[in-house]
Amino acid sequence: MHNGESQNGQANLATPAGINTDLLKRHGNTGKLFRSVLLVTGIMFLVGIVGIVLRLLEDGTENTRVWGYHAAAFAFILTTAQGAVMVAIAPRMAKAHWRRPISRVAEMFAVVGIVNLLMFIPLLSVLPSLEDGRRSLWFYNAADPILSKVPVYTPHIWASLSLIFLVLSGLMLLWVSSLADLATIRDSSSGRKHRFFAWLANGWHGTSKQWFMKYHRIGILGAFYFMMLIFTHFLIATDFDMALIPGWIDALFPITHAANSLQAGCATVIIAMFVLRRFGGYGDWIGLDQFWGLGKLMFALSLLWFWFWFSSFIILWYGSRPNEESVLNLIIRGPYQPAFMAAFILNFIAPLFMMMWNPVRKSIWGPTLVATGILIGTFFDRIRLYVSAYSIPGIGDSSVDKHMLHEIPQTVMPHFIDYMIWVGAIGGSVFVYMLATRIFPIINIWEQKELLLYKFHKKLHRTEVLVLGKPD
Amino acid sequence: MQEHIQLDQKQINDDLLSGVLRTPRWWLPAITVALLVFLTGMGAFGYMLNKGVGVTGLNRPVFWGFFMVNFVFWIGISHAGIMISAILRLTQAEWRRPITRAAEVLTVFSLMAALMAAPLVHVGRPWRAGLWVFPYDFARGVWINIRSPFIWDPSAVMTYLTASTLFVLIALLPDLAVIRDRTTGRARVLYSILCLGWRGTPRQWKLQAVAGILLSALVLPVFVSVHSIVSWDFAVQIGTESWHSTIFAPYFIIGAIHSGVSAVATIMVLMVWLWNWDKYLRPDHLDAIGRLLIVVATTWFFFFFVEWIFALYTLEDPEIAMRELQVLQWPWSGLFILFLITAFFFPVPLWLFKKVRRSFFWMFVTTISVNVGMWLERFLIIVPGTMRKQPFVFDWGSYHPSIMEILMVAMTFAWVVIGLLLFARIFPLIPLFDIKEGMVGRDEIKIGRRTVPASIRE
Amino acid sequence: MSKEKEKWGMVIDVDKCISCQACVVACQSENNIPINSEDIFNQRRAIEWIRVERYWEGEFPDVKARFIPILCQHCGEAPCEPVCPVFATYHNEEGMNVQVYNRCIGTRFCANNCPYHVRYFNFWEPEWPDSLKNQLNPDVTVRSRGIMEKCTFCIQRIRRSKIEASRDGREEVQDEARSINPACVNACPTETLYFGNFNDENSKVSELKKKENGDHGRGYKLLDELGTEPNVIYLKKVDPSAKEEAHA
Amino acid sequence: MAIRSVLGLFNNEDTAADALDALNEAGFDQSEYEVLTGTPYPEGTFGEAEPVHKLYRFPLIGAACGFIVGLLLTSGTQLAFPLVTGGKPILSIPPMAIIMYEGTMLGAILFTVVGIIFESRLPRLLMGAYNTKITEGAIGVAVTTDETKVSQAEDVLRNAGAEDLKRGWETEQNR
């Protein structure tokens, strides 16, 4: 075991003042690379916005078929960036010390939620109301005297509310957990910057009461974010995906959708870590330990990916009722088989056979490579699930048999507007994230200083051991 | 964990071997009672062998009853051992140390009880149950049908049983050496053979540590597969209402962890009450397990909720009729309410209080309550499902167990009690070396006026 | 899959059924089914390979009875088959779902997974009064306790007809004496039941299937939405006066 | 030449560590002496050699064997008795995957357990020099060496402060 060994190797980083100086210097400076990437992603973001406008002007919101790739892009960001915040929450609750340098990296992905909220708006008008006769979580039935009283836009309302709360709680979490760091910046700056950060730090002085409240708020907001994430995935997966495919009854699917998000979230953070190390110059802070710890988590979640998928698949395969067969024919065997195979290999097979070797697990490039694969796999997986669901003809037409899909639609290939939307979604996410690094320091300063209290080396007879404190 | 008592190795040996080197006074009466219950159950089984499955309460719509419920229940309990020892070992949680072995042993014996409940007494021709899979029934010229979940079941359960037994035995080696050094005569010869000549060299200790982690990592995926497969016994079926649900595998797993970890907490309390190991199993441990249980129980409840939502999602008449029977018609309604209260609404709010989590008595009551509830949960999944009110209403039926069935169910409980008592008489139920290692690897950090517990990592 | 020579099946004209139970009795005596005493019946362990379900509609005096004979549907994709761990039930090349008593160990998995509920378990050792012991059919196994059983389409009759045909050197099974029909078909006074080979285009059942399938035909399959592909076709004219609620 | 062993018993970790240093200085090879403890200590506490093991190979070999056995069993039984059940294909891959998975895991676990016992150099038939006080907290330093060097080892141990000295016989293999 070499927990927490590699970072803070330099002597000047082993004191609170040293940590402050180093991280504040990094926070204040922007390199040429940073600015040019910011410019490029900003342009990508604009392209995406133009794409959405073009789509609205050209096709309107009547035909769901053309909106499949947009929905997939939305689900992709929901799965990756918004899942990434969990990497800050879960290891913090488990009191793992290796999480300290990356908890801010992960939390910061909460800002990407704003981009996703924008992408969600057109989808709301694309999704038909409950009157189209499909199945729904909300149990609408026009023929039933009681169930017909359900408002026909219930899914739209609840999904928007949960997404808004998810984004808000993520931003709150980011703000609360960086209060102490904002105060540090406030204290080391002057002028307009000082005023701005004083406003952001909201009177943080580091009293024990403030610290106490901060720990509690982080805990509560973390738990709340987790619950909102599961809930949002639950609603999006059922109402915006499963319900659109007639005959698809899969109680596990919403949970699979959420579990995929945790896996893809880990992958996102690992890639962010790699970029920070390679291009951001944070090599002293983000080390092997972080890759190792998060890599193991990602490995476990990759196995979970398979377990959840197989649990669904075996039931549908074994039951082989016509409605189940048609669903399998649509999303696994049929037009989207290549996408499924890509997801299967990149989300499960590759992580399994690479991460089972300790040398790969315990390296920088190993987890990064696997994480890249997982992101690509998730990309194909979301396309498979959403493009297929939105391509079902006749959605919104009450003549469609809600019990079974009778004809498997053809594969929908992306239009150039779809490419624009995808470019915008990814570019916009990176753009917003990079802007946020200008406000919040990307390495958690106070958590690093806290670590100095709980970790030291000690001589034990003829050997030296690491002592890690675990406060209650 | 604030309180910590530093003990020397001799003290630990004396305390923890008290049940092995001497026979506690309650031990003989306890095992006699358990043996009597077991033998009565065996008698009932003999009677059933003679007369046929008719002596149970099973009938035409309800083909699976108490035995299957009990099978799932014991498989569920068996998930405790690996859950506690493997997951906590991999996450290096210090509080696992005193409870790992008891949990693993519970796994082994409850798996055996499960095997007793399902293939043995469940089938119509138990004398052929052995030929089910092992050895293959080749004399009749036909192999097994690997497409059947009832073949996946034994392959998973046998793998799990083998793995967990070996897991226990490997971790026993150093402790057997301690007993060898404390005994004389024939017992010493026996323990000398059992401990394979353990000496305690750095190499042996290192492999012990690696083995713990490696075996944990290998057993964990097996543990997940076992209950998944058990759930697929039900979920693959399309002929029975309310079972054909994809969520069954994770739902059963999390339910199994809920009941299994509760059973471990019950055993912990019993260990303190019976052997006075209060220096080793302290309220801290119960507190930690109580916190874990809150998370597990809530997750379980979430899956339960999702399962229900998606049962109603289809809005199909047979499913709704089944659910209506399950919750609105006496006596199922009463059982359903009892199940909800005992499995969730009684224990979980109580665990939120630190006082309850740290009280031996209350943890005993609440964890027993969880297992009553989880037993009922399986009952309410299996029996109303098979009663199938629709679509062929000609086959409505009800079910109540016969006395023979109840005796055979009691037999499996008695078997687990006998197993644990015998094990505790021969082997230490708390791993000595794990406790000693915890004492060596223990440290403290002084920060100002406060002392923070710390542990040594290599 | 290559087309087999035979695919036995049945057509049941529900419109003709008068619920006289002749098929049930014929089946009981042909297939050595134990006597369902009152006691056994109350235990809900009665065995009847074919049963006539009766549904009442409406309240007295405006009451209607509807009948439907239900037997093993010999599904093309039978849910009962793959779940058996010991291959005690499988699909044979004549399109039938067969039960091998010797292999059965009585897990009752198949019975649970049968949506038609036509599999029966021997909870007790079967018993007959002395006066009936000599009427047991020598062509049919007497099942012991602890195993499953179900309708076989009177496979012993098919086998016998085939043996006779091959003995006489005939290619096709001639069936003037209706000896190949299951007992229930022969016993039915109203010709509700038809038995035959669906793969033989000239058979009566094929003719009926051709005639009654389609938009205007009366043909349907039980629980078709489960995709079990039964080999039994039911014929029933949709009754416009039928009420939604019916009860047993 | 006959192999003998001698065991010195120490009451605290520091003297035991000193004894190891002394043995090293006296020209004993690291393979000739070892520390016996009743509890695992962090590696290198006594300055002993770090044990090297190849345990990680065992589960891989076991998994491969288990996988092959599982594959042969599942595909073999289905092909040997091609009975159609429920319209499922004769080679039904999802059920095969389940059983092959269990076979793989069983193989891996069995081989791991064998590996643990083998790599721990167990079972050890001849105990050699041993003292029951080791499991009560004393630390033993055992020297396994040629008959000629035994008394020298005894001297070194005694000088390092050993409480109790014991001799035992060894087999060649235990060295």
Side-chain angles (χ1 to χ4, degrees):
Chain A
M1 312 284 131
H2 295 282
N3 295 28
E5 281 283 82
S6 54
Q7 92 271 18
N8 297 7
Q10 292 166 26
N12 64 332
L13 297 185
T15 58
I19 293 175
N20 272 358
T21 334
D22 187 77
L23 287 177
L24 288 179
K25 191 182 82 204
R26 287 166 191 280
H27 179 248
N29 290 346
T30 51
K32 198 173 153 210
L33 184 65
F34 181 89
R35 281 194 297 273
S36 43
V37 172
L38 199 64
L39 186 69
V40 171
T41 52
I43 293 168
M44 283 164 79
F45 194 20
L46 283 178
V47 168
I49 292 171
V50 171
I52 292 177
V53 172
L54 275 179
R55 163 96 338 129
L56 280 169
L57 290 177
E58 207 160 286
D59 304 295
T61 56
E62 284 304 302
N63 183 7
T64 54
R65 197 165 175 276
V66 295
W67 285 95
Y69 280 92
H70 180 96
F74 163 76
F76 179 74
I77 303 294
L78 176 71
T79 310
T80 52
Q82 296 194 279
V85 181
M86 280 311 298
V87 174
I89 296 165
R92 190 182 271 152
M93 292 205 170
K95 294 175 190 157
H97 287 299
W98 58 261
R99 63 132 212 287
R100 291 176 185 275
I102 53 170
S103 55
R104 180 67 45 74
V105 178
E107 270 161 7
M108 200 103 80
F109 277 100
V111 298
V112 180
I114 299 169
V115 177
N116 222 22
L117 211 51
L118 294 176
M119 291 190 64
F120 185 60
I121 295 166
L123 273 187
L124 275 176
S125 45
V126 173
L127 186 78
S129 73
L130 286 179
E131 274 168 328
D132 75 333
R134 69 199 151 98
R135 284 184 172 127
S136 160
L137 268 182
W138 308 98
F139 304 121
Y140 175 83
N141 185 356
D144 189 287
I146 300 166
L147 297 185
S148 61
K149 295 211 169 64
V150 176
V152 292
Y153 288 105
T154 315
H156 306 65
I157 298 163
W158 281 98
S160 326
L161 279 181
S162 78
L163 198 65
I164 290 169
F165 276 115
L166 178 74
V167 173
L168 284 182
S169 59
L171 292 174
M172 279 293 284
L173 178 71
L174 174 63
W175 179 63
V176 167
S177 96
S178 52
L179 271 179
D181 295 354
L182 295 171
T184 314
I185 302 174
R186 172 197 66 195
D187 297 346
S188 70
S189 60
S190 57
R192 251 197 350 202
K193 193 177 173 190
H194 176 83
R195 280 200 298 282
F196 176 68
F197 280 97
W199 172 72
L200 264 186
N202 197 25
W204 175 269
H205 296 293
T207 62
S208 22
K209 194 180 167 200
Q210 280 178 332
W211 279 109
F212 177 83
M213 293 302 287
K214 178 181 174 133
Y215 281 120
H216 275 250
R217 281 180 186 148
I218 289 177
I220 290 167
L221 281 169
F224 189 69
Y225 188 88
F226 177 60
M227 285 192 266
M228 285 318 293
L229 185 73
I230 301 284
F231 189 59
T232 309
H233 275 283
F234 194 86
L235 296 184
I236 300 291
T238 37
D239 275 324
F240 286 77
D241 188 4
M242 184 165 27
L244 300 183
I245 301 182
W248 193 8
I249 306 160
D250 185 345
L252 189 53
F253 180 65
I255 300 171
T256 311
H257 205 280
N260 292 354
S261 173
L262 301 184
Q263 184 204 19
C266 281
T268 313
V269 175
I270 286 183
I271 289 178
M273 272 155 53
F274 181 78
V275 171
L276 285 174
R277 223 185 115 85
R278 182 79 177 68
F279 304 106
Y282 283 93
D284 291 340
W285 295 97
I286 297 169
L288 199 55
D289 262 358
Q290 283 66 43
F291 282 88
W292 197 38
L294 204 51
K296 282 191 282 191
L297 196 61
M298 188 174 70
F299 181 39
L301 288 165
S302 304
L303 300 183
L304 210 64
W305 189 97
F306 176 76
W307 179 51
F308 274 18
W309 172 78
F310 193 76
S311 295
S312 281
F313 172 74
I314 188 85
I315 303 306
L316 302 183
W317 179 84
Y318 211 99
S320 68
R321 303 203 296 209
N323 65 332
E324 294 169 346
E325 286 288 309
S326 64
V327 170
L328 290 185
N329 284 340
L330 176 67
I331 60 175
I332 289 181
R333 294 188 195 125
Y336 296 93
Q337 195 185 33
F340 168 73
M341 287 315 290
F344 188 79
I345 291 168
L346 292 169
N347 278 347
F348 169 63
I349 303 274
L352 171 68
F353 283 100
M354 286 179 71
M355 298 293 274
M356 65 189 261
W357 307 99
N358 201 35
V360 179
R361 248 192 335 257
K362 211 173 169 179
S363 67
I364 305 287
W365 59 270
T368 310
L369 211 60
V370 173
T372 315
I374 285 174
L375 284 192
I376 298 170
T378 309
F379 165 78
F380 281 115
D381 202 39
R382 296 299 105 149
I383 283 180
R384 162 180 84 103
L385 292 167
Y386 283 82
V387 176
S388 65
Y390 278 75
S391 72
I392 310 268
I395 283 276
D397 173 7
S398 55
S399 68
V400 166
D401 180 357
K402 71 174 171 184
H403 299 286
M404 203 187 133
L405 177 67
H406 289 286
E407 260 173 54
I408 308 290
Q410 291 292 309
T411 321
V412 176
M413 295 312 276
H415 190 254
F416 87 89
I417 297 180
D418 292 322
Y419 290 116
M420 286 170 76
I421 291 173
W422 269 96
V423 162
I426 292 168
S429 305
V430 177
F431 179 70
V432 174
Y433 188 91
M434 287 176 79
L435 280 186
T437 60
R438 293 298 88 226
I439 300 173
F440 307 100
I442 196 147
I443 303 285
N444 209 328
I445 301 176
W446 65 270
E447 281 201 316
Q448 288 298 336
K449 290 193 263 189
E450 194 188 23
L451 181 64
L452 295 180
L453 297 176
Y454 294 124
K455 184 182 135 186
F456 60 88
H457 292 268
K458 169 183 143 173
K459 198 167 152 31
L460 182 79
H461 308 296
R462 295 290 185 271
T463 185
E464 200 188 58
V465 288
L466 177 73
V467 181
L468 287 177
K470 285 221 169 170
D472 288 309
Chain B
M1 259 127 277
Q2 290 305 305
E3 333 143 30
H4 175 76
I5 311 166
Q6 194 73 28
L7 301 163
D8 68 12
Q9 295 195 19
K10 190 166 175 340
Q11 176 79 40
I12 295 172
N13 290 348
D14 291 346
D15 288 344
L16 296 183
L17 293 179
S18 63
V20 178
L21 300 177
R22 288 178 299 280
T23 314
R25 214 179 307 151
W26 49 266
W27 190 82
L28 206 60
I31 202 163
T32 314
V33 171
L35 214 57
L36 278 178
V37 176
F38 182 74
L39 289 177
T40 318
M42 273 301 190
F45 177 47
Y47 181 69
M48 191 177 80
L49 276 181
N50 191 17
K51 294 285 176 193
V53 184
V55 302
T56 64
L58 299 170
N59 53 49
R60 193 151 69 84
V62 188
F63 282 105
W64 288 358
F66 255 38
F67 296 147
M68 218 55 187
V69 175
N70 221 34
F71 171 71
V72 181
F73 175 77
W74 280 123
I75 294 278
I77 294 282
S78 79
H79 279 51
I82 300 311
M83 161 71 201
I84 292 285
S85 68
I87 294 186
L88 299 183
R89 220 183 279 255
L90 291 179
T91 54
Q92 301 184 326
E94 282 293 312
W95 59 273
R96 71 164 197 277
R97 293 187 186 278
I99 47 180
T100 47
R101 181 159 310 145
E104 287 156 14
V105 173
L106 185 65
T107 296
V108 173
F109 288 107
S110 54
L111 273 177
M112 291 177 183
L115 286 177
M116 217 177 262
L120 188 66
V121 300
H122 169 77
V123 297
R125 302 204 283 176
W127 53 93
R128 283 179 52 81
L131 303 175
W132 179 333
V133 270
F134 190 77
Y136 281 164
D137 188 8
F138 203 64
R140 288 175 197 273
V142 166
W143 291 73
I144 45 159
N145 176 14
I146 64 128
R147 283 160 231 154
S148 168
F150 267 7
I151 293 300
W152 315 341
D153 249 349
S155 75
V157 172
M158 292 311 286
T159 302
Y160 192 39
L161 182 60
T162 315
S164 50
T165 312
L166 290 171
F167 198 17
V168 171
L169 290 179
I170 285 290
L172 260 177
L173 289 177
D175 290 358
L176 290 172
V178 180
I179 310 180
R180 172 196 65 195
D181 292 352
R182 301 282 94 73
T183 48
T184 52
R186 258 187 300 183
R188 189 187 163 94
V189 175
L190 176 75
Y191 285 111
S192 300
I193 295 168
L194 284 178
C195 77
L196 303 174
W198 176 274
R199 277 152 57 92
T201 61
R203 181 185 193 88
Q204 288 170 341
W205 286 122
K206 177 167 187 175
L207 274 149
Q208 211 23 266
V210 176
I213 288 169
L214 192 56
L215 281 179
S216 297
L218 286 172
V219 173
L220 261 181
V222 177
F223 133 95
V224 173
S225 76
V226 172
H227 217 68
S228 302
I229 289 173
V230 169
S231 80
W232 294 338
D233 288 350
F234 305 100
V236 297
Q237 300 196 23
I238 59 169
T240 308
E241 220 44 71
S242 87
W243 287 1
H244 191 62
S245 170
T246 49
I247 203 171
F248 260 38
Y251 172 48
F252 270 46
I253 287 276
I254 193 77
I257 294 174
H258 184 33
S259 75
V261 176
S262 297
V264 170
T266 312
I267 298 261
M268 278 165 70
V269 175
L270 283 174
M271 275 156 72
V272 170
W273 283 349
L274 293 175
W275 283 280
N276 300 319
W277 285 330
D278 48 357
K279 264 182 275 178
Y280 302 91
L281 288 163
R282 289 187 314 279
D284 289 334
H285 296 102
L286 283 180
D287 191 15
I289 215 169
R291 281 189 227 179
L292 180 68
L293 273 171
I294 296 174
V295 176
V296 170
T298 313
T299 318
W300 167 78
F301 197 75
F302 171 67
F303 275 85
F304 169 78
F305 175 75
V306 174
E307 202 253 341
W308 262 85
I309 287 282
F310 275 85
L312 303 178
Y313 179 76
T314 57
L315 286 183
E316 277 163 7
D317 291 342
E319 184 77 44
I320 287 174
M322 208 306 280
R323 299 289 169 164
E324 200 185 314
L325 168 89
Q326 214 178 10
V327 290
L328 295 178
Q329 287 178 34
W330 187 260
W332 314 105
S333 57
L335 290 175
F336 192 79
I337 290 167
L338 188 65
F339 143 64
L340 278 183
I341 290 174
T342 50
F344 192 80
F345 289 108
F346 167 64
V348 177
L350 276 181
W351 288 332
L352 294 176
F353 297 100
K354 198 164 187 168
K355 272 210 175 109
V356 172
R357 290 201 305 265
R358 298 177 71 89
S359 146
F360 285 92
F361 173 76
W362 280 107
M363 280 309 275
F364 186 75
V365 172
T366 47
T367 50
I368 291 277
S369 153
V370 167
N371 272 316
V372 171
M374 290 311 288
W375 201 92
L376 281 173
E377 186 222 12
R378 279 66 178 254
F379 184 76
L380 284 168
I381 289 175
I382 293 174
V383 173
T386 57
M387 284 167 63
R388 66 180 106 182
K389 300 194 64 169
Q390 285 177 341
F392 288 100
V393 285
F394 228 61
D395 291 319
W396 285 7
S398 185
Y399 167 77
H400 51 86
S402 75
I403 185 79
M404 292 299 152
E405 250 171 315
I406 294 170
L407 285 178
M408 279 182 263
V409 165
M411 169 178 84
T412 57
F413 282 84
W415 165 255
V416 174
V417 173
I418 293 172
L420 283 172
L421 286 178
L422 275 179
F423 186 91
R425 181 68 193 80
I426 305 171
F427 306 114
L429 210 48
I430 292 185
L432 276 74
F433 82 90
D434 229 352
I435 298 280
K436 292 173 184 172
E437 189 185 20
M439 303 269 174
V440 170
R442 163 95 192 177
D443 209 331
E444 276 165 354
I445 301 177
K446 281 217 173 355
I447 302 170
R449 311 249 167 210
R450 173 119 187 253
T451 314
V452 176
S455 46
I456 291 177
R457 299 270 184 270
E458 285 164 43
Chain C
M1 225 193 284
S2 67
K3 202 173 173 185
E4 305 287 347
K5 195 172 157 218
E6 282 132 347
K7 185 163 176 269
W8 300 108
M10 212 179 253
V11 174
I12 299 179
D13 192 340
V14 184
D15 285 330
K16 289 190 199 161
C17 179
I18 55 170
S19 183
C20 66
Q21 311 278 343
C23 51
V24 179
V25 175
C27 178
Q28 295 263 333
S29 52
E30 169 77 15
N31 288 307
N32 297 340
I33 294 173
I35 306 295
N36 292 321
S37 66
E38 190 187 345
D39 188 29
I40 300 247
F41 198 85
N42 286 338
Q43 289 174 7
R44 297 181 171 280
R45 289 162 180 171
I47 297 176
E48 25 180 16
W49 286 4
I50 181 167
R51 62 176 190 262
V52 183
E53 293 200 351
R54 186 179 59 224
Y55 298 89
W56 294 108
E57 208 180 273
E59 296 297 327
F60 183 81
D62 180 24
V63 61
K64 248 182 182 170
R66 300 192 187 272
F67 315 111
I68 179 168
I70 291 182
L71 70 167
C72 175
Q73 307 287 308
H74 291 271
C75 309
E77 292 193 5
C80 58
E81 288 165 1
V83 297
C84 177
V86 290
F87 275 129
T89 179
Y90 73 99
H91 216 68
N92 75 359
E93 52 283 7
E94 293 173 30
M96 278 190 290
N97 173 251
V98 291
Q99 177 77 19
V100 187
Y101 306 124
N102 279 351
R103 290 184 202 151
C104 180
I105 57 172
T107 63
R108 310 189 282 288
F109 204 156
C110 52
N112 263 342
N113 204 17
C114 174
Y116 306 98
H117 224 202
V118 288
R119 292 183 147 265
Y120 299 87
F121 187 66
N122 284 280
F123 284 93
W124 304 107
E125 193 77 45
E127 278 173 12
W128 285 268
D130 282 345
S131 58
L132 285 181
K133 279 193 175 149
N134 286 337
Q135 70 89 45
L136 290 180
N137 186 352
D139 291 342
V140 179
T141 325
V142 172
R143 281 81 56 187
S144 71
R145 70 189 147 90
I147 58 172
M148 298 301 307
E149 58 182 59
K150 62 163 199 84
C151 164
T152 61
F153 272 171
C154 288
I155 192 168
Q156 68 278 9
R157 294 177 168 228
I158 299 171
R159 290 280 173 274
R160 188 175 57 213
S161 307
K162 281 191 169 177
I163 290 166
E164 279 170 3
S166 76
R167 181 193 61 199
D168 301 346
R170 280 182 277 125
E171 273 281 304
E172 293 294 320
V173 179
Q174 285 181 356
D175 202 24
E176 294 87 15
R178 310 208 301 177
S179 63
I180 201 164
N181 277 353
C184 53
V185 177
N186 283 350
C188 182
T190 58
E191 286 204 322
T192 296
L193 310 166
Y194 302 90
F195 179 77
N197 179 3
F198 276 123
N199 278 2
D200 176 2
E201 298 214 341
N202 304 318
S203 69
K204 181 78 180 163
V205 288
S206 295
E207 271 171 37
L208 282 170
K209 183 181 175 185
K210 224 176 290 162
K211 186 176 142 215
E212 301 285 5
N213 270 2
D215 288 345
H216 302 292
R218 296 181 295 150
Y220 72 100
K221 285 173 176 177
L222 280 190
L223 301 182
D224 203 17
E225 72 276 13
L226 294 181
T228 52
E229 295 178 14
N231 275 337
V232 177
I233 296 174
Y234 284 81
L235 307 178
K236 174 84 181 126
K237 198 169 78 204
V238 175
D239 183 353
S241 73
K243 301 190 177 60
E244 288 233 346
E245 294 289 319
H247 52 92
Chain D
M1 209 174 289
I3 305 288
R4 296 289 302 268
S5 67
V6 60
L7 177 93
L9 215 56
F10 296 86
N11 268 342
N12 75 40
E13 292 93 357
D14 269 331
T15 41
D18 290 342
L20 254 61
D21 291 345
L23 282 169
N24 201 18
E25 271 168 37
F28 285 92
D29 188 66
Q30 274 205 327
S31 66
E32 283 181 303
Y33 54 86
E34 55 191 351
V35 193
L36 307 185
T37 53
T39 175
Y41 280 89
E43 251 169 54
T45 305
F46 307 100
E48 78 278 10
E50 203 170 298
V52 182
H53 66 91
K54 290 179 179 139
L55 184 59
Y56 293 111
R57 287 184 189 177
F58 285 84
L60 289 176
I61 298 167
C65 294
F67 181 83
I68 290 165
V69 170
L71 180 67
L72 291 178
L73 254 176
T74 48
S75 54
T77 52
Q78 291 187 92
L79 291 174
F81 296 91
L83 300 178
V84 177
T85 54
K88 302 257 178 288
I90 292 297
L91 274 181
S92 303
I93 292 162
M96 282 169 68
I98 294 173
I99 292 179
M100 276 148 61
Y101 168 77
E102 298 296 344
T104 310
M105 296 313 289
L106 184 63
I109 288 165
L110 286 178
F111 271 65
T112 308
V113 169
V114 169
I116 292 163
I117 292 181
F118 174 77
E119 287 286 339
S120 300
R121 304 287 180 260
L122 292 173
R124 191 183 167 99
L125 300 176
L126 201 65
M127 270 305 276
Y130 186 72
N131 194 318
T132 57
K133 280 201 180 134
I134 286 170
T135 47
E136 270 182 6
I139 292 154
V141 176
V143 186
T144 310
T145 183
D146 292 341
E147 217 168 359
T148 48
K149 283 161 83 182
V150 168
S151 49
Q152 188 201 347
E154 273 182 344
D155 291 340
V156 174
L157 289 175
R158 199 175 294 117
N159 293 339
E163 300 269 311
D164 190 23
L165 280 174
K166 251 191 191 172
R167 283 195 183 193
W169 290 95
E170 286 288 341
T171 57
E172 186 77 39
Q173 153 242 328
N174 279 345
R175 187 170 153 172

